Amino acid sequence: MSRPNPYQYIKKGNPSSGVGQFEYWNGSFKEAISQSADGLPGTPFKNVVIGGKKDYQDTSNFGDNARLELESVFSGTSGYVHLRMNPGWQGLFYVKSENNDFFEDNAIDEYVSDNWNNDDSFTEELGEAQNLLAGEWPTIWVQDNAEASDSRTVFGLDQGDYMSFDVDGESGQVAQARIRISGVDYIDNTESSNELFITCVWLRYWNPTKPVPNYDPGAIQGPLEPDGQGDIDGDGIIDGEDETPRGEEKPPEDGMFSCPVGFKDNGFGICIPDDSPDDDDDNDDDDNDTSDDVSAVAMAAVVVGIGLVIYMALRVV
């Protein structure tokens, strides 16, 4: 199959049939950047430019050195970075700026947006952004309630796409702020004057010749498996996390799947047209059959006739 875009299987996972699989980067974001800068084979980035005041940080959600901080400093050069995806590689990133409303103010193309609720967990809020991006490639997600808070964006990069950030615009080697996807810029080239944090959600390489492990073309795949990693309806959400993995309407609260009127379950949870005879049609002949009623009336008439004959005979006597 052809390479899915970054917003398919956006919460990780892989196709559940055929040939072609993603191989996910198991190292840290720091290792991905440093090894790519060294030109090592099998690394995610090319044209790596990084410098100024920066720091790598651990995160509870994505492990050690998963976040790159570009610092704003008065003495020396503030942090900057440019990362372009190598052929076959994709990445999903969460970026936060300490400049209020930075990403919404500087978004220059079509994007999806929603609030970021600090009362909810990071995982929950990131998941909501991923759900909005699923099926919307190419675009970015932008926080729309950052007028008095840190500003956030979530975006995916495909091969050849890149991001550049130059805090305080001091390096002159990279764009001050740019997210370029499929040749389109989604952020205006305006510097961030405060700290900026880039978190790597995942990095992955598409191997078009790798078959699905233990794939049986005759077996049921995806949602009928407890951890279904497929994406039968192609909406970008893996079956194990999709409330409607087959694209049907959300099932009732009791969890039972049912087909609409005129359709029936083919035994595998898929609705097909129901061409079986209608029970009401089967009963139409019975409902219109009056033969029993006619026989009853005729019998009653005979009984009455006999009674009249006996009565008249007795009168004559």
Side-chain angles (χ1 to χ4, degrees):
M1 64 179 295
S2 60
R3 183 182 73 253
N5 68 57
Y7 296 163
Q8 294 174 281
Y9 311 99
I10 193 170
K11 295 183 179 179
K12 303 182 74 171
N14 255 309
S16 59
S17 62
V19 177
Q21 292 282 281
F22 285 117
E23 297 172 352
Y24 286 83
W25 178 261
N26 292 321
S28 68
F29 191 24
K30 180 180 181 180
E31 291 169 336
I33 293 174
S34 63
Q35 293 179 25
S36 296
D38 290 339
L40 298 181
T43 50
F45 305 115
K46 67 176 182 178
N47 301 338
V48 175
V49 181
I50 187 168
K53 184 65 173 176
K54 64 186 184 302
D55 184 32
Y56 289 97
Q57 301 168 344
D58 300 341
T59 72
S60 59
N61 295 286
F62 305 109
D64 296 344
N65 297 315
R67 181 166 70 177
L68 169 63
E69 178 186 8
L70 302 180
E71 299 182 33
S72 175
V73 296
F74 292 104
S75 177
T77 303
S78 298
Y80 58 91
V81 69
H82 169 97
L83 299 173
R84 184 189 295 268
M85 305 306 300
N86 259 322
W89 282 89
Q90 299 176 345
L92 186 70
F93 304 92
Y94 160 84
V95 182
K96 180 177 72 173
S97 171
E98 290 188 349
N99 283 83
N100 296 350
D101 222 17
F102 179 77
F103 291 109
E104 186 175 31
D105 284 348
N106 292 294
I108 58 176
D109 207 277
E110 295 293 328
Y111 60 88
V112 297
S113 63
D114 197 6
N115 290 350
W116 185 276
N117 186 356
N118 284 318
D119 292 333
D120 294 335
S121 70
F122 173 85
T123 301
E124 182 176 356
E125 290 302 294
L126 176 64
E128 290 182 5
Q130 290 173 301
N131 290 341
L132 289 173
L133 286 172
E136 297 297 326
W137 176 263
T139 189
I140 64 174
W141 177 92
V142 172
Q143 179 184 356
D144 62 10
N145 65 333
E147 291 79 6
S149 72
D150 297 338
S151 179
R152 300 166 173 86
T153 183
V154 179
F155 58 91
L157 299 179
D158 204 350
Q159 58 182 20
D161 298 339
Y162 71 86
M163 71 169 104
S164 292
F165 295 104
D166 181 5
V167 173
D168 295 327
E170 296 176 344
S171 76
Q173 299 185 58
V174 305
Q176 296 174 97
R178 181 167 290 155
I179 300 170
R180 179 167 290 180
I181 302 172
S182 299
V184 176
D185 290 344
Y186 284 86
I187 295 293
D188 188 34
N189 192 23
T190 302
E191 70 183 53
S192 169
S193 59
N194 285 316
E195 271 68 25
L196 189 140
F197 304 84
I198 304 171
T199 299
C200 178
V201 180
W202 50 252
L203 294 164
R204 65 192 186 188
Y205 173 76
W206 176 250
N207 186 339
T209 63
K210 184 176 181 178
V212 173
N214 303 316
Y215 172 58
D216 178 1
I220 300 301
Q221 301 291 322
L224 297 186
E225 300 173 352
D227 60 348
Q229 295 295 303
D231 183 18
I232 282 190
D233 60 7
D235 63 357
I237 304 174
I238 62 172
D239 298 326
E241 299 176 6
D242 194 346
E243 289 185 330
T244 56
R246 302 179 187 86
E248 73 275 12
E249 294 184 0
K250 186 176 180 180
E253 292 184 359
D254 61 8
M256 298 298 293
F257 174 76
S258 60
C259 292
V261 176
F263 292 81
K264 63 181 180 180
D265 192 323
N266 70 347
F268 299 101
I270 299 175
C271 294
I272 60 174
D274 185 359
D275 55 2
S276 59
D278 192 326
D279 290 341
D280 291 338
D281 292 340
D282 292 341
N283 294 329
D284 283 347
D285 292 341
D286 294 338
D287 292 341
N288 296 323
D289 188 355
T290 59
S291 58
D292 290 343
D293 295 338
V294 171
S295 298
V297 171
M299 182 63 70
V302 171
V303 172
V304 171
I306 293 173
L308 288 174
V309 170
I310 296 173
Y311 173 74
M312 293 301 297
L314 291 175
R315 286 179 59 89
V316 172
V317 176

